[in-house]
Amino acid sequence: MLDREATVRDLDELRAFAATRLGVEFYLEPETTATDTTVAAVATDGEWIRRRVGSPKVAGQLADELGLPLYDAGTVGYPAAMRRYRRT
């Protein structure tokens, strides 16, 4: 059973992140036995958030709505800036 399904708030938080950061890209992460499908939103400087989106289709629609690229994290990996980013 999933620990929590995606909500409207999750999508709104991704929208807000994209609207307030530069160069945001989305990285799609597949559903697991414990977690719904997620997107990691990563800004140019490496700052990131991860939120549930419900399905790859919803992730694609949100990326299209925001004019952002959507990558399959399992295929392309994550940007190096994300690994270097230090939350303060």
Side-chain angles (χ1 to χ4, degrees), residues 21-52:
R21 286 13 178 238
L22 295 176
V24 174
E25 299 173 326
F26 281 176
Y27 292 83
L28 181 67
E29 302 167 322
E31 178 180 326
T32 68
T33 57
T35 305
D36 207 350
T37 302
T38 55
V39 161
V42 184
T44 301
D45 66 357
E47 182 180 4
W48 61 276
I49 64 168
R50 175 178 286 115
R51 297 293 182 270
R52 290 166 178 85

PDB file of all heavy atoms in Angstrom, residues 21-52:
ATOM      1  N   ARG A  21      12.298  29.640  -9.161  1.00  0.00           N
ATOM      2  CA  ARG A  21      13.686  29.210  -9.364  1.00  0.00           C
ATOM      3  C   ARG A  21      14.035  29.295 -10.838  1.00  0.00           C
ATOM      4  O   ARG A  21      13.169  29.268 -11.695  1.00  0.00           O
ATOM      5  CB  ARG A  21      13.899  27.767  -8.928  1.00  0.00           C
ATOM      6  CG  ARG A  21      13.948  27.348  -7.461  1.00  0.00           C
ATOM      7  CD  ARG A  21      13.502  28.276  -6.454  1.00  0.00           C
ATOM      8  NE  ARG A  21      13.560  27.757  -5.090  1.00  0.00           N
ATOM      9  CZ  ARG A  21      12.486  27.700  -4.323  1.00  0.00           C
ATOM     10  NH1 ARG A  21      11.287  28.000  -4.783  1.00  0.00           N
ATOM     11  NH2 ARG A  21      12.613  27.343  -3.063  1.00  0.00           N
ATOM     12  N   LEU A  22      15.321  29.369 -11.109  1.00  0.00           N
ATOM     13  CA  LEU A  22      15.797  29.454 -12.497  1.00  0.00           C
ATOM     14  C   LEU A  22      16.126  28.066 -13.049  1.00  0.00           C
ATOM     15  O   LEU A  22      16.669  27.218 -12.338  1.00  0.00           O
ATOM     16  CB  LEU A  22      17.065  30.313 -12.580  1.00  0.00           C
ATOM     17  CG  LEU A  22      16.901  31.788 -12.216  1.00  0.00           C
ATOM     18  CD1 LEU A  22      18.254  32.484 -12.252  1.00  0.00           C
ATOM     19  CD2 LEU A  22      15.931  32.462 -13.166  1.00  0.00           C
ATOM     20  N   GLY A  23      15.806  27.873 -14.321  1.00  0.00           N
ATOM     21  CA  GLY A  23      16.235  26.690 -15.047  1.00  0.00           C
ATOM     22  C   GLY A  23      15.723  25.370 -14.521  1.00  0.00           C
ATOM     23  O   GLY A  23      16.425  24.357 -14.589  1.00  0.00           O
ATOM     24  N   VAL A  24      14.507  25.341 -14.028  1.00  0.00           N
ATOM     25  CA  VAL A  24      13.975  24.119 -13.423  1.00  0.00           C
ATOM     26  C   VAL A  24      13.736  23.044 -14.481  1.00  0.00           C
ATOM     27  O   VAL A  24      13.234  23.308 -15.568  1.00  0.00           O
ATOM     28  CB  VAL A  24      12.668  24.414 -12.648  1.00  0.00           C
ATOM     29  CG1 VAL A  24      12.025  23.131 -12.129  1.00  0.00           C
ATOM     30  CG2 VAL A  24      12.944  25.369 -11.491  1.00  0.00           C
ATOM     31  N   GLU A  25      14.129  21.829 -14.121  1.00  0.00           N
ATOM     32  CA  GLU A  25      13.875  20.637 -14.929  1.00  0.00           C
ATOM     33  C   GLU A  25      13.199  19.608 -14.034  1.00  0.00           C
ATOM     34  O   GLU A  25      13.456  19.561 -12.830  1.00  0.00           O
ATOM     35  CB  GLU A  25      15.186  20.050 -15.459  1.00  0.00           C
ATOM     36  CG  GLU A  25      15.956  21.003 -16.342  1.00  0.00           C
ATOM     37  CD  GLU A  25      17.319  20.466 -16.727  1.00  0.00           C
ATOM     38  OE1 GLU A  25      17.953  19.758 -15.919  1.00  0.00           O
ATOM     39  OE2 GLU A  25      17.747  20.763 -17.851  1.00  0.00           O
ATOM     40  N   PHE A  26      12.357  18.787 -14.628  1.00  0.00           N
ATOM     41  CA  PHE A  26      11.670  17.723 -13.897  1.00  0.00           C
ATOM     42  C   PHE A  26      12.322  16.381 -14.211  1.00  0.00           C
ATOM     43  O   PHE A  26      12.658  16.097 -15.359  1.00  0.00           O
ATOM     44  CB  PHE A  26      10.195  17.644 -14.305  1.00  0.00           C
ATOM     45  CG  PHE A  26       9.295  18.673 -13.690  1.00  0.00           C
ATOM     46  CD1 PHE A  26       7.969  18.733 -14.072  1.00  0.00           C
ATOM     47  CD2 PHE A  26       9.726  19.562 -12.727  1.00  0.00           C
ATOM     48  CE1 PHE A  26       7.094  19.649 -13.521  1.00  0.00           C
ATOM     49  CE2 PHE A  26       8.869  20.496 -12.165  1.00  0.00           C
ATOM     50  CZ  PHE A  26       7.548  20.536 -12.563  1.00  0.00           C
ATOM     51  N   TYR A  27      12.454  15.565 -13.184  1.00  0.00           N
ATOM     52  CA  TYR A  27      12.981  14.204 -13.303  1.00  0.00           C
ATOM     53  C   TYR A  27      11.943  13.242 -12.761  1.00  0.00           C
ATOM     54  O   TYR A  27      11.629  13.257 -11.574  1.00  0.00           O
ATOM     55  CB  TYR A  27      14.314  14.079 -12.552  1.00  0.00           C
ATOM     56  CG  TYR A  27      15.387  14.887 -13.230  1.00  0.00           C
ATOM     57  CD1 TYR A  27      15.513  16.251 -12.987  1.00  0.00           C
ATOM     58  CD2 TYR A  27      16.236  14.309 -14.168  1.00  0.00           C
ATOM     59  CE1 TYR A  27      16.467  17.011 -13.637  1.00  0.00           C
ATOM     60  CE2 TYR A  27      17.188  15.059 -14.834  1.00  0.00           C
ATOM     61  CZ  TYR A  27      17.301  16.407 -14.558  1.00  0.00           C
ATOM     62  OH  TYR A  27      18.236  17.158 -15.228  1.00  0.00           O
ATOM     63  N   LEU A  28      11.405  12.415 -13.643  1.00  0.00           N
ATOM     64  CA  LEU A  28      10.348  11.476 -13.302  1.00  0.00           C
ATOM     65  C   LEU A  28      10.925  10.258 -12.604  1.00  0.00           C
ATOM     66  O   LEU A  28      11.899   9.663 -13.068  1.00  0.00           O
ATOM     67  CB  LEU A  28       9.623  11.039 -14.576  1.00  0.00           C
ATOM     68  CG  LEU A  28       8.462  10.069 -14.404  1.00  0.00           C
ATOM     69  CD1 LEU A  28       7.306  10.741 -13.666  1.00  0.00           C
ATOM     70  CD2 LEU A  28       8.007   9.555 -15.757  1.00  0.00           C
ATOM     71  N   GLU A  29      10.307   9.903 -11.470  1.00  0.00           N
ATOM     72  CA  GLU A  29      10.712   8.732 -10.699  1.00  0.00           C
ATOM     73  C   GLU A  29       9.518   7.778 -10.618  1.00  0.00           C
ATOM     74  O   GLU A  29       8.414   8.200 -10.307  1.00  0.00           O
ATOM     75  CB  GLU A  29      11.151   9.164  -9.302  1.00  0.00           C
ATOM     76  CG  GLU A  29      12.289  10.174  -9.351  1.00  0.00           C
ATOM     77  CD  GLU A  29      12.538  10.865  -8.033  1.00  0.00           C
ATOM     78  OE1 GLU A  29      11.573  11.178  -7.310  1.00  0.00           O
ATOM     79  OE2 GLU A  29      13.720  11.087  -7.723  1.00  0.00           O
ATOM     80  N   PRO A  30       9.724   6.511 -10.913  1.00  0.00           N
ATOM     81  CA  PRO A  30       8.605   5.576 -11.001  1.00  0.00           C
ATOM     82  C   PRO A  30       7.959   5.259  -9.664  1.00  0.00           C
ATOM     83  O   PRO A  30       8.586   5.388  -8.605  1.00  0.00           O
ATOM     84  CB  PRO A  30       9.242   4.323 -11.599  1.00  0.00           C
ATOM     85  CG  PRO A  30      10.657   4.390 -11.162  1.00  0.00           C
ATOM     86  CD  PRO A  30      11.011   5.862 -11.150  1.00  0.00           C
ATOM     87  N   GLU A  31       6.724   4.832  -9.756  1.00  0.00           N
ATOM     88  CA  GLU A  31       6.014   4.338  -8.578  1.00  0.00           C
ATOM     89  C   GLU A  31       6.742   3.110  -8.050  1.00  0.00           C
ATOM     90  O   GLU A  31       7.292   2.316  -8.814  1.00  0.00           O
ATOM     91  CB  GLU A  31       4.587   3.959  -8.975  1.00  0.00           C
ATOM     92  CG  GLU A  31       3.769   3.384  -7.863  1.00  0.00           C
ATOM     93  CD  GLU A  31       2.367   3.017  -8.305  1.00  0.00           C
ATOM     94  OE1 GLU A  31       1.810   3.717  -9.171  1.00  0.00           O
ATOM     95  OE2 GLU A  31       1.848   2.022  -7.787  1.00  0.00           O
ATOM     96  N   THR A  32       6.763   2.980  -6.736  1.00  0.00           N
ATOM     97  CA  THR A  32       7.314   1.784  -6.097  1.00  0.00           C
ATOM     98  C   THR A  32       6.215   1.154  -5.257  1.00  0.00           C
ATOM     99  O   THR A  32       5.095   1.674  -5.199  1.00  0.00           O
ATOM    100  CB  THR A  32       8.516   2.132  -5.194  1.00  0.00           C
ATOM    101  OG1 THR A  32       8.047   2.889  -4.071  1.00  0.00           O
ATOM    102  CG2 THR A  32       9.576   2.925  -5.955  1.00  0.00           C
ATOM    103  N   THR A  33       6.534   0.088  -4.577  1.00  0.00           N
ATOM    104  CA  THR A  33       5.534  -0.533  -3.711  1.00  0.00           C
ATOM    105  C   THR A  33       5.185   0.357  -2.530  1.00  0.00           C
ATOM    106  O   THR A  33       4.145   0.181  -1.912  1.00  0.00           O
ATOM    107  CB  THR A  33       6.020  -1.898  -3.190  1.00  0.00           C
ATOM    108  OG1 THR A  33       7.267  -1.714  -2.509  1.00  0.00           O
ATOM    109  CG2 THR A  33       6.187  -2.884  -4.326  1.00  0.00           C
ATOM    110  N   ALA A  34       6.041   1.322  -2.219  1.00  0.00           N
ATOM    111  CA  ALA A  34       5.813   2.194  -1.064  1.00  0.00           C
ATOM    112  C   ALA A  34       5.437   3.623  -1.417  1.00  0.00           C
ATOM    113  O   ALA A  34       4.885   4.342  -0.589  1.00  0.00           O
ATOM    114  CB  ALA A  34       7.053   2.222  -0.184  1.00  0.00           C
ATOM    115  N   THR A  35       5.742   4.072  -2.632  1.00  0.00           N
ATOM    116  CA  THR A  35       5.573   5.482  -2.973  1.00  0.00           C
ATOM    117  C   THR A  35       4.942   5.640  -4.348  1.00  0.00           C
ATOM    118  O   THR A  35       5.312   4.954  -5.296  1.00  0.00           O
ATOM    119  CB  THR A  35       6.944   6.198  -2.971  1.00  0.00           C
ATOM    120  OG1 THR A  35       7.567   5.991  -1.714  1.00  0.00           O
ATOM    121  CG2 THR A  35       6.798   7.686  -3.193  1.00  0.00           C
ATOM    122  N   ASP A  36       4.022   6.581  -4.443  1.00  0.00           N
ATOM    123  CA  ASP A  36       3.408   6.949  -5.710  1.00  0.00           C
ATOM    124  C   ASP A  36       4.482   7.502  -6.651  1.00  0.00           C
ATOM    125  O   ASP A  36       5.588   7.831  -6.228  1.00  0.00           O
ATOM    126  CB  ASP A  36       2.351   8.024  -5.431  1.00  0.00           C
ATOM    127  CG  ASP A  36       1.229   8.054  -6.436  1.00  0.00           C
ATOM    128  OD1 ASP A  36       1.323   7.378  -7.472  1.00  0.00           O
ATOM    129  OD2 ASP A  36       0.239   8.759  -6.181  1.00  0.00           O
ATOM    130  N   THR A  37       4.165   7.639  -7.936  1.00  0.00           N
ATOM    131  CA  THR A  37       5.072   8.252  -8.910  1.00  0.00           C
ATOM    132  C   THR A  37       5.445   9.647  -8.428  1.00  0.00           C
ATOM    133  O   THR A  37       4.589  10.412  -7.981  1.00  0.00           O
ATOM    134  CB  THR A  37       4.397   8.340 -10.290  1.00  0.00           C
ATOM    135  OG1 THR A  37       4.014   7.035 -10.691  1.00  0.00           O
ATOM    136  CG2 THR A  37       5.319   8.953 -11.324  1.00  0.00           C
ATOM    137  N   THR A  38       6.734   9.981  -8.505  1.00  0.00           N
ATOM    138  CA  THR A  38       7.204  11.279  -8.038  1.00  0.00           C
ATOM    139  C   THR A  38       7.955  12.007  -9.138  1.00  0.00           C
ATOM    140  O   THR A  38       8.396  11.410 -10.119  1.00  0.00           O
ATOM    141  CB  THR A  38       8.140  11.138  -6.818  1.00  0.00           C
ATOM    142  OG1 THR A  38       9.214  10.265  -7.151  1.00  0.00           O
ATOM    143  CG2 THR A  38       7.402  10.613  -5.606  1.00  0.00           C
ATOM    144  N   VAL A  39       8.111  13.320  -8.922  1.00  0.00           N
ATOM    145  CA  VAL A  39       8.952  14.158  -9.760  1.00  0.00           C
ATOM    146  C   VAL A  39       9.915  14.895  -8.842  1.00  0.00           C
ATOM    147  O   VAL A  39       9.509  15.452  -7.826  1.00  0.00           O
ATOM    148  CB  VAL A  39       8.109  15.174 -10.567  1.00  0.00           C
ATOM    149  CG1 VAL A  39       8.957  16.324 -11.071  1.00  0.00           C
ATOM    150  CG2 VAL A  39       7.428  14.487 -11.735  1.00  0.00           C
ATOM    151  N   ALA A  40      11.183  14.868  -9.208  1.00  0.00           N
ATOM    152  CA  ALA A  40      12.166  15.725  -8.560  1.00  0.00           C
ATOM    153  C   ALA A  40      12.300  16.957  -9.456  1.00  0.00           C
ATOM    154  O   ALA A  40      12.605  16.836 -10.641  1.00  0.00           O
ATOM    155  CB  ALA A  40      13.502  15.016  -8.418  1.00  0.00           C
ATOM    156  N   ALA A  41      12.016  18.126  -8.902  1.00  0.00           N
ATOM    157  CA  ALA A  41      12.179  19.388  -9.625  1.00  0.00           C
ATOM    158  C   ALA A  41      13.529  19.956  -9.213  1.00  0.00           C
ATOM    159  O   ALA A  41      13.791  20.140  -8.015  1.00  0.00           O
ATOM    160  CB  ALA A  41      11.064  20.361  -9.265  1.00  0.00           C
ATOM    161  N   VAL A  42      14.402  20.200 -10.202  1.00  0.00           N
ATOM    162  CA  VAL A  42      15.770  20.609  -9.915  1.00  0.00           C
ATOM    163  C   VAL A  42      16.053  21.937 -10.615  1.00  0.00           C
ATOM    164  O   VAL A  42      15.883  22.060 -11.827  1.00  0.00           O
ATOM    165  CB  VAL A  42      16.781  19.549 -10.387  1.00  0.00           C
ATOM    166  CG1 VAL A  42      18.195  19.946  -9.983  1.00  0.00           C
ATOM    167  CG2 VAL A  42      16.420  18.173  -9.832  1.00  0.00           C
ATOM    168  N   ALA A  43      16.505  22.927  -9.832  1.00  0.00           N
ATOM    169  CA  ALA A  43      16.870  24.235 -10.376  1.00  0.00           C
ATOM    170  C   ALA A  43      18.323  24.213 -10.849  1.00  0.00           C
ATOM    171  O   ALA A  43      19.086  23.294 -10.530  1.00  0.00           O
ATOM    172  CB  ALA A  43      16.684  25.317  -9.311  1.00  0.00           C
ATOM    173  N   THR A  44      18.719  25.229 -11.594  1.00  0.00           N
ATOM    174  CA  THR A  44      20.066  25.321 -12.147  1.00  0.00           C
ATOM    175  C   THR A  44      21.138  25.199 -11.072  1.00  0.00           C
ATOM    176  O   THR A  44      22.168  24.564 -11.283  1.00  0.00           O
ATOM    177  CB  THR A  44      20.241  26.656 -12.905  1.00  0.00           C
ATOM    178  OG1 THR A  44      19.274  26.706 -13.945  1.00  0.00           O
ATOM    179  CG2 THR A  44      21.620  26.784 -13.508  1.00  0.00           C
ATOM    180  N   ASP A  45      20.907  25.810  -9.905  1.00  0.00           N
ATOM    181  CA  ASP A  45      21.913  25.777  -8.836  1.00  0.00           C
ATOM    182  C   ASP A  45      21.916  24.460  -8.065  1.00  0.00           C
ATOM    183  O   ASP A  45      22.727  24.262  -7.165  1.00  0.00           O
ATOM    184  CB  ASP A  45      21.721  26.946  -7.875  1.00  0.00           C
ATOM    185  CG  ASP A  45      20.424  26.877  -7.073  1.00  0.00           C
ATOM    186  OD1 ASP A  45      19.611  25.950  -7.277  1.00  0.00           O
ATOM    187  OD2 ASP A  45      20.222  27.767  -6.227  1.00  0.00           O
ATOM    188  N   GLY A  46      21.007  23.548  -8.403  1.00  0.00           N
ATOM    189  CA  GLY A  46      20.954  22.250  -7.746  1.00  0.00           C
ATOM    190  C   GLY A  46      19.908  22.138  -6.657  1.00  0.00           C
ATOM    191  O   GLY A  46      19.647  21.035  -6.169  1.00  0.00           O
ATOM    192  N   GLU A  47      19.299  23.252  -6.270  1.00  0.00           N
ATOM    193  CA  GLU A  47      18.221  23.162  -5.281  1.00  0.00           C
ATOM    194  C   GLU A  47      17.124  22.270  -5.851  1.00  0.00           C
ATOM    195  O   GLU A  47      16.837  22.327  -7.047  1.00  0.00           O
ATOM    196  CB  GLU A  47      17.657  24.544  -4.970  1.00  0.00           C
ATOM    197  CG  GLU A  47      16.579  24.507  -3.919  1.00  0.00           C
ATOM    198  CD  GLU A  47      15.984  25.862  -3.580  1.00  0.00           C
ATOM    199  OE1 GLU A  47      16.357  26.868  -4.225  1.00  0.00           O
ATOM    200  OE2 GLU A  47      15.144  25.917  -2.679  1.00  0.00           O
ATOM    201  N   TRP A  48      16.508  21.459  -5.006  1.00  0.00           N
ATOM    202  CA  TRP A  48      15.511  20.533  -5.520  1.00  0.00           C
ATOM    203  C   TRP A  48      14.444  20.230  -4.483  1.00  0.00           C
ATOM    204  O   TRP A  48      14.644  20.411  -3.286  1.00  0.00           O
ATOM    205  CB  TRP A  48      16.168  19.239  -5.983  1.00  0.00           C
ATOM    206  CG  TRP A  48      16.883  18.495  -4.896  1.00  0.00           C
ATOM    207  CD1 TRP A  48      18.159  18.721  -4.450  1.00  0.00           C
ATOM    208  CD2 TRP A  48      16.361  17.438  -4.094  1.00  0.00           C
ATOM    209  NE1 TRP A  48      18.468  17.857  -3.424  1.00  0.00           N
ATOM    210  CE2 TRP A  48      17.368  17.049  -3.189  1.00  0.00           C
ATOM    211  CE3 TRP A  48      15.143  16.778  -4.052  1.00  0.00           C
ATOM    212  CZ2 TRP A  48      17.204  16.036  -2.262  1.00  0.00           C
ATOM    213  CZ3 TRP A  48      14.971  15.760  -3.120  1.00  0.00           C
ATOM    214  CH2 TRP A  48      15.990  15.405  -2.245  1.00  0.00           C
ATOM    215  N   ILE A  49      13.313  19.776  -5.014  1.00  0.00           N
ATOM    216  CA  ILE A  49      12.242  19.228  -4.185  1.00  0.00           C
ATOM    217  C   ILE A  49      11.720  17.974  -4.891  1.00  0.00           C
ATOM    218  O   ILE A  49      11.874  17.822  -6.094  1.00  0.00           O
ATOM    219  CB  ILE A  49      11.078  20.219  -3.927  1.00  0.00           C
ATOM    220  CG1 ILE A  49      10.364  20.582  -5.229  1.00  0.00           C
ATOM    221  CG2 ILE A  49      11.563  21.451  -3.192  1.00  0.00           C
ATOM    222  CD1 ILE A  49       9.041  21.307  -5.012  1.00  0.00           C
ATOM    223  N   ARG A  50      11.112  17.117  -4.119  1.00  0.00           N
ATOM    224  CA  ARG A  50      10.498  15.899  -4.676  1.00  0.00           C
ATOM    225  C   ARG A  50       9.057  15.875  -4.198  1.00  0.00           C
ATOM    226  O   ARG A  50       8.785  16.022  -3.009  1.00  0.00           O
ATOM    227  CB  ARG A  50      11.240  14.663  -4.185  1.00  0.00           C
ATOM    228  CG  ARG A  50      10.589  13.353  -4.609  1.00  0.00           C
ATOM    229  CD  ARG A  50      11.396  12.155  -4.124  1.00  0.00           C
ATOM    230  NE  ARG A  50      12.611  12.019  -4.926  1.00  0.00           N
ATOM    231  CZ  ARG A  50      13.859  12.160  -4.461  1.00  0.00           C
ATOM    232  NH1 ARG A  50      14.066  12.439  -3.192  1.00  0.00           N
ATOM    233  NH2 ARG A  50      14.888  12.018  -5.263  1.00  0.00           N
ATOM    234  N   ARG A  51       8.134  15.682  -5.141  1.00  0.00           N
ATOM    235  CA  ARG A  51       6.721  15.598  -4.793  1.00  0.00           C
ATOM    236  C   ARG A  51       6.059  14.486  -5.589  1.00  0.00           C
ATOM    237  O   ARG A  51       6.439  14.189  -6.714  1.00  0.00           O
ATOM    238  CB  ARG A  51       5.982  16.921  -5.081  1.00  0.00           C
ATOM    239  CG  ARG A  51       6.475  18.106  -4.261  1.00  0.00           C
ATOM    240  CD  ARG A  51       6.156  17.940  -2.792  1.00  0.00           C
ATOM    241  NE  ARG A  51       6.571  19.085  -1.991  1.00  0.00           N
ATOM    242  CZ  ARG A  51       7.761  19.226  -1.411  1.00  0.00           C
ATOM    243  NH1 ARG A  51       8.682  18.298  -1.561  1.00  0.00           N
ATOM    244  NH2 ARG A  51       8.033  20.292  -0.688  1.00  0.00           N
ATOM    245  N   ARG A  52       5.032  13.925  -5.019  1.00  0.00           N
ATOM    246  CA  ARG A  52       4.254  12.903  -5.701  1.00  0.00           C
ATOM    247  C   ARG A  52       3.392  13.558  -6.782  1.00  0.00           C
ATOM    248  O   ARG A  52       2.897  14.662  -6.588  1.00  0.00           O
ATOM    249  CB  ARG A  52       3.374  12.171  -4.696  1.00  0.00           C
ATOM    250  CG  ARG A  52       4.187  11.299  -3.751  1.00  0.00           C
ATOM    251  CD  ARG A  52       3.344  10.871  -2.557  1.00  0.00           C
ATOM    252  NE  ARG A  52       4.080   9.999  -1.677  1.00  0.00           N
ATOM    253  CZ  ARG A  52       4.897  10.425  -0.706  1.00  0.00           C
ATOM    254  NH1 ARG A  52       5.071  11.706  -0.502  1.00  0.00           N
ATOM    255  NH2 ARG A  52       5.540   9.557   0.051  1.00  0.00           N
TER     256      ARG A  52
END
